[in-house]
Amino acid sequence: MKSLVLEKKDVLSLRDFPEISRAEETLGPRDVRIKLHTVGICGSDVHYYTHGKIGPFVVNEPMILGHEASGTVIEIGPEVTHLKEGDRVCMEPGIPDPTSKAARLGMYNIDPAVRFWATPPIHGILRPTCVHPADFTFKLPDNVSFAEAAMVEPLAVGVHAATKARVKPGDNAVVLGAGPIGLVTALSALAAGCAKVYVTDLAEKKLEIAGSLSRAIVPVNVGKQNLVEIVKADTDGWGADIVFEATGSPHAAKTVFEPLAPGGCVVMIGGQPDPIQYDAGAAMIREARVENIFRYAHVFPRCVGMLSSGAIDVKPLITRTFDFDESVRAFEIAASAPPADVKMQIELPQ
């Protein structure tokens, strides 16, 4: 099975991976076999490529990359009733232990035993086919493309963040960072009811894309503009009801309370490699509520529904598409962080 393999830090190859082929010969009673169509390149994939690890997850042996995916069901297990061969689907990449306490409490995303695609030692899905639990496989409406469906995984992060923020109609929000996660968070906040969302970044092109998504999005170049002054001026000195931190930057993280209104909420999305500064005094005088998210839970069907209805449009975020044979080059380009690109995707042969 030809796959995109991270051999070790900085070394990628497109080669046969017989171990995966053998492991996927058996289809469980509640599994489906899926022919992959489109796979997005995520920042975590690139980070494994350029650093060889993310926190405690270390690439100690060759690993297939990719976890943002869509495809077509080509085989179903005997107990699967809600899917059939030929169904177009997207897949939730994290599989918990259904008997764990976290899963039984409904917080399956924080199950310590979760097996997540392209997180060592679990292989990803930049390969022709995969076997996946039917319970984490979601049928696509006819008007949702494979490319849009491969955006459901990052969109789920934004929807989960907006859910944790408890957005109320008319709220004003700030999203720190105009990368893929920042932009899907901005779209999710608007879909949840925000009246205005300020999106910050240093890259003008990303801010142009942010501003093009909605009249309710206000791009702010924090290299040239003062975010706090802009937000305070627009809110009669009150501040933003919600601040989403989506940069993963320690500098940005330590400023999260500055534009926040009294009684507001901060949602920490961006992963921090090390402990960060936290202004407890600024949080206290605002009586701020701070939420943290880890991936997502229970939101894939919501994301598919919003894409289908037009409540959220992710198509402008897909800025470049590569053929599967160009996968190594695609990752080399993604690792260079082109300022004009938001989401790059790879299409597999059909």
Side-chain angles (χ1 to χ4, degrees):
M1 184 180 289
K2 194 175 184 182
S3 308
L4 181 67
V5 181
L6 177 59
E7 306 288 359
K8 58 182 180 180
K9 177 179 175 291
D10 295 324
V11 180
L12 285 169
S13 65
L14 202 57
R15 65 174 175 87
D16 287 337
F17 208 89
E19 296 88 346
I20 283 287
S21 300
R22 288 194 294 270
E24 294 197 341
E25 287 176 356
T26 302
L27 189 78
R30 293 200 55 77
D31 290 340
V32 292
R33 195 183 310 275
I34 300 158
K35 181 176 177 60
L36 279 305
H37 187 287
T38 302
V39 179
I41 299 177
C42 177
S44 65
D45 295 317
V46 175
H47 198 88
Y48 281 124
Y49 168 45
T50 57
H51 291 77
K53 64 179 182 178
I54 296 178
F57 301 103
V58 181
V59 180
N60 291 316
E61 56 188 23
M63 180 183 78
I64 299 171
L65 292 171
H67 63 266
E68 305 174 359
S70 61
T72 303
V73 174
I74 57 175
E75 187 180 359
I76 64 171
E79 296 180 9
V80 176
T81 58
H82 69 289
L83 295 169
K84 64 181 185 305
E85 292 180 19
D87 281 347
R88 300 164 59 255
V89 294
C90 63
M91 299 80 81
E92 188 167 344
I95 308 304
D97 174 1
T99 67
S100 72
K101 184 168 184 176
R104 287 184 284 113
L105 289 172
M107 302 181 294
Y108 63 84
N109 55 313
I110 54 174
D111 176 8
V114 71
R115 296 170 58 83
F116 198 92
W117 281 338
T119 300
I122 310 303
H123 291 291
I125 38 69
L126 271 165
R127 46 189 159 108
T129 66
C130 70
V131 169
H132 199 59
D135 291 336
F136 289 87
T137 303
F138 303 92
K139 185 177 178 179
L140 301 175
D142 291 341
N143 65 340
V144 175
S145 68
F146 284 114
E148 292 171 281
M151 287 292 294
V152 168
E153 197 278 338
L155 177 59
V157 177
V159 172
H160 189 52
T163 302
K164 295 279 278 190
R166 304 175 202 165
V167 175
K168 300 183 297 298
D171 277 350
N172 292 312
V174 169
V175 175
L176 304 178
I181 296 301
L183 294 183
V184 295
T185 299
L187 291 172
S188 300
L190 289 176
C194 279
K196 186 180 290 186
V197 178
Y198 302 85
V199 176
T200 74
D201 211 282
L202 295 168
E204 282 290 352
K205 183 60 181 177
K206 285 185 169 59
L207 290 171
E208 288 176 18
I209 294 171
S212 73
L213 298 176
S214 170
R215 290 185 302 169
I217 290 179
V218 180
V220 179
N221 187 326
V222 288
K224 303 175 182 178
Q225 299 169 281
N226 187 305
L227 170 68
V228 176
E229 290 180 359
I230 292 171
V231 173
K232 291 292 182 71
D234 286 353
T235 58
D236 295 326
W238 185 246
D241 302 291
I242 305 162
V243 175
F244 297 96
E245 202 303 291
T247 68
S249 161
H251 174 74
K254 72 180 182 181
T255 68
V256 290
F257 299 109
E258 293 177 6
L260 187 69
C265 176
V266 166
V267 183
M268 303 298 290
I269 306 172
Q272 296 289 343
D274 299 299
I276 60 173
Q277 294 186 28
Y278 181 95
D279 191 340
M284 182 180 293
I285 62 172
R286 290 167 173 79
E287 204 168 85
R289 176 167 57 91
V290 180
E291 297 279 358
N292 293 274
I293 72 163
F294 184 63
R295 297 170 180 155
Y296 37 74
H298 309 291
V299 294
F300 261 58
R302 294 173 180 265
C303 294
V304 172
M306 287 188 288
L307 293 180
S308 180
S309 71
I312 287 180
D313 182 8
V314 295
K315 293 188 292 293
L317 307 185
I318 304 168
T319 50
R320 208 180 310 200
T321 304
F322 297 86
D323 291 334
F324 186 50
D325 288 341
E326 301 176 290
S327 294
V328 173
R329 174 173 168 265
F331 268 79
E332 291 171 349
I333 293 172
S336 71
D341 281 301
V342 177
K343 176 58 65 176
M344 300 181 187
Q345 292 184 332
I346 294 171
E347 286 189 1
L348 283 88
Q350 297 303 301

